[in-house]
Amino acid sequence: MTDVNLETLLAEKLIGDSPKMQQLRTIIKFAGHCNSSIMITGPSGSGKEVVAEAIHAISDRRHAPNIAVNCGALPEQLIESELFGHEKGSFTGAINQHVGLFEQADSGTIFLDEIGDMPLALQTRLLRVLAEREVMPLGANKPEKVDIRVITATHRNIDAMIQQGEFREDLYYRLNGAQLRLPALRDRADKLFVIRRVFDDIIQERGCSQSPRLRADAISALLAYAWPGNIRQLKNALAFALATSESDEITVHDLPEQCLS
């Protein structure tokens, strides 16, 4: 991948022109070319999965699988089997062998989103995988070697969880080879740039025959809003406004009601 392609990729993935975002892009470039574990922190909707995708895309593993799993979305009784796999008959309902996500990601990257939601018992198994670079599927007689890079993300305060006995400290140090912190949208100095860029991206994706514009009253409302859902919420709000507006101007009245509070 050439430097030009790399710069284009990061500009597309990480929206923003502030010094903080420029610094983040520089860090991602270095992170992409090393093999250490990365932990991405920041509020929900701030773009942690996008950063993980960018790191994989510029790494030496980019031609291998990049598998993402949300640790908070899988039922606790299924997550161990999903991550590490199982043999046929290893438990009730295991009618076939299942290759776990760690094995599927061999030679590539696995992204564990919301790692703070992983149960303590499973944290112990994950620690062993990272230490031994091998996984033991449920019901198996021997482990399987894996060559993977692990990227994790969380919106939770892991330091506080460690103090409360909810997260293993030794696992934290295994996962936190380097840490990237994403800012909340409300705290970003380049918020106006982000709003305009997201708006333009949605127009381009939809292939609009005309180019609607954001009127000043809409921009003022968007800048004043706190955006608890961050960039994800901003994208949804602007997509809603574009879909419901009956003119070529997006006004404050076209925005979702919650953005006006």
Side-chain angles (χ1 to χ4, degrees):
M1 180 175 293
T2 67
D3 289 341
V4 173
N5 287 337
L6 173 57
E7 294 295 340
T8 301
L9 172 71
L10 291 177
E12 290 175 351
K13 292 285 188 182
L14 297 172
I15 301 171
D17 66 347
S18 68
K20 184 175 289 187
M21 293 306 293
Q22 293 173 15
Q23 181 185 40
L24 182 59
R25 281 193 281 266
T26 298
I27 294 172
I28 287 173
K29 286 188 234 179
F30 287 112
H33 294 297
C34 70
N35 202 40
S36 62
S37 298
I38 303 289
M39 180 173 283
I40 307 167
T41 62
S44 296
S46 57
K48 296 187 290 297
E49 185 168 359
V50 169
V51 171
E53 290 173 355
I55 292 172
H56 174 79
I58 64 177
S59 74
D60 294 337
R61 298 175 180 267
R62 60 184 173 274
H63 299 299
N66 178 34
I67 293 180
V69 54
N70 189 322
C71 299
L74 290 173
E76 186 171 341
Q77 63 271 25
L78 293 180
I79 189 171
E80 184 173 14
S81 173
E82 282 298 308
L83 290 179
F84 307 125
H86 64 254
E87 296 295 316
K88 180 180 179 180
S90 57
F91 56 86
T92 302
I95 59 176
N96 295 302
Q97 181 190 38
H98 172 67
V99 177
L101 296 176
F102 271 84
E103 283 190 73
Q104 293 180 40
D106 190 32
S107 299
T109 303
I110 188 163
F111 173 55
L112 301 177
D113 198 7
E114 299 303 344
I115 188 67
D117 293 338
M118 180 175 283
L120 270 171
L122 201 58
Q123 292 177 29
T124 301
R125 287 210 61 186
L126 176 58
L127 180 64
R128 181 173 179 81
V129 171
L130 297 177
E132 305 296 333
R133 293 293 163 177
E134 60 185 26
V135 296
M136 178 73 81
L138 295 173
N141 295 320
K142 64 176 183 178
E144 300 289 340
K145 288 290 185 183
V146 289
D147 172 23
I148 52 171
R149 183 187 198 175
V150 179
I151 301 177
T152 57
T154 182
H155 71 282
R156 304 182 67 178
N157 186 332
I158 298 295
D159 289 329
M161 292 182 69
I162 292 172
Q163 295 300 317
Q164 295 163 8
E166 298 174 350
F167 200 90
R168 292 188 60 126
E169 186 174 19
D170 46 3
L171 176 60
Y172 172 71
Y173 289 120
R174 284 276 182 182
L175 297 174
N176 194 24
Q179 186 172 132
L180 301 178
R181 173 74 183 176
L182 296 185
L185 179 56
R186 64 178 175 271
D187 297 329
R188 291 180 56 167
D190 58 350
K191 186 159 57 172
L192 178 59
F193 178 93
V194 174
I195 290 170
R196 292 190 180 280
R197 168 66 185 277
V198 169
F199 185 70
D200 290 343
D201 286 349
I202 295 173
I203 291 174
Q204 186 173 3
E205 288 171 7
R206 296 193 172 197
C208 298
S209 56
Q210 295 181 329
S211 295
R213 71 181 186 90
L214 285 170
R215 213 168 69 178
D217 59 345
I219 292 175
S220 295
L222 293 169
L223 288 172
Y225 185 58
W227 299 109
N230 294 287
I231 292 180
R232 184 187 300 131
Q233 184 187 12
L234 172 64
K235 290 180 178 179
N236 291 337
L238 290 174
F240 172 86
L242 280 167
T244 57
S245 176
E246 296 180 351
S247 74
D248 60 356
E249 286 189 327
I250 303 301
T251 74
V252 67
H253 304 293
D254 297 314
L255 300 175
E257 187 174 346
Q258 67 266 26
C259 297
L260 308 179
S261 58

